[in-house]
Amino acid sequence: SELKSNVMLSEIIYEQGNIFEEPAVGKIGGQLWKGKADIVRSDLVVDLKTTSRIDDFHRSARKYNYDGQAWIYEQLFERPGVFIAIEKGSCRMGMYDCSEQFLDSGREKVMRALEVYNTFFGESPTEDIDQFFINKTL
């Protein structure tokens, strides 16, 4: 595979002791969350992603809510995370660590998601999901 031929990424991914496809469950904001990490190392959680344009990966990461995933995984696995992206077709690769700003954005998204969840499904919901609809003018 392309990953094995890249010395730096190969060492990160295939280091002895790494655990692959590792599930975790934990409470965040009073609710249970689950995740399945591609690779758990002693020092990192590694998530593998494919992308159509690796040059755009750093911009599209928020769009695809990887910031929320990174923050959740940091909570569940109790270690920082990195993304390794592989461009479809060319197999160009990149490794992306997560800034505090990126993680803060993820935490905010998760907290907003919890608010919406609790509005409809929490212990004391204030809205009836069966009555929810969107009404907009196009």
Side-chain angles (χ1 to χ4, degrees):
S1 100
E2 299 295 328
L3 285 172
K4 286 188 178 178
S5 66
N6 183 295
V7 174
M8 183 179 167
L9 294 181
S10 180
E11 288 176 3
I12 290 168
I13 293 170
Y14 299 106
E15 183 176 79
Q16 189 171 354
N18 285 0
I19 303 168
F20 297 87
E21 298 291 321
E22 179 71 4
V25 176
K27 274 203 171 183
I28 299 172
Q31 298 294 334
L32 285 177
W33 291 73
K34 63 182 177 178
K36 185 188 270 188
D38 291 330
I39 303 161
V40 177
R41 297 170 38 97
S42 61
D43 59 341
L44 286 174
V45 175
V46 179
D47 196 73
L48 304 174
K49 299 289 188 197
T50 58
T51 183
S52 55
R53 284 191 38 88
I54 198 152
D55 297 322
D56 296 338
F57 184 81
H58 68 286
R59 284 188 293 275
S60 62
R62 282 184 209 262
K63 173 181 164 186
Y64 293 116
N65 297 313
Y66 297 161
D67 50 349
Q69 178 189 351
W71 187 80
I72 290 167
Y73 279 26
E74 191 172 277
Q75 306 309 300
L76 296 179
F77 293 97
E78 299 179 333
R79 62 201 76 191
V82 298
F83 294 97
I84 294 177
I86 305 165
E87 186 176 80
K88 299 172 194 168
S90 73
C91 294
R92 289 173 59 212
M93 293 172 268
M95 186 167 74
Y96 304 84
D97 61 337
C98 302
S99 69
E100 285 302 314
Q101 182 183 17
F102 187 76
L103 292 169
D104 285 346
S105 170
R107 180 186 50 75
E108 288 173 16
K109 286 180 180 179
V110 170
M111 292 303 135
R112 278 198 309 273
L114 280 165
E115 285 177 26
V116 171
Y117 177 85
N118 287 327
T119 297
F120 293 102
F121 304 107
E123 287 184 23
S124 303
T126 56
E127 299 288 338
D128 179 359
I129 192 68
D130 294 327
Q131 300 304 312
F132 179 77
F133 71 99
I134 296 170
N135 184 11
K136 292 187 177 186
T137 302
L138 301 174

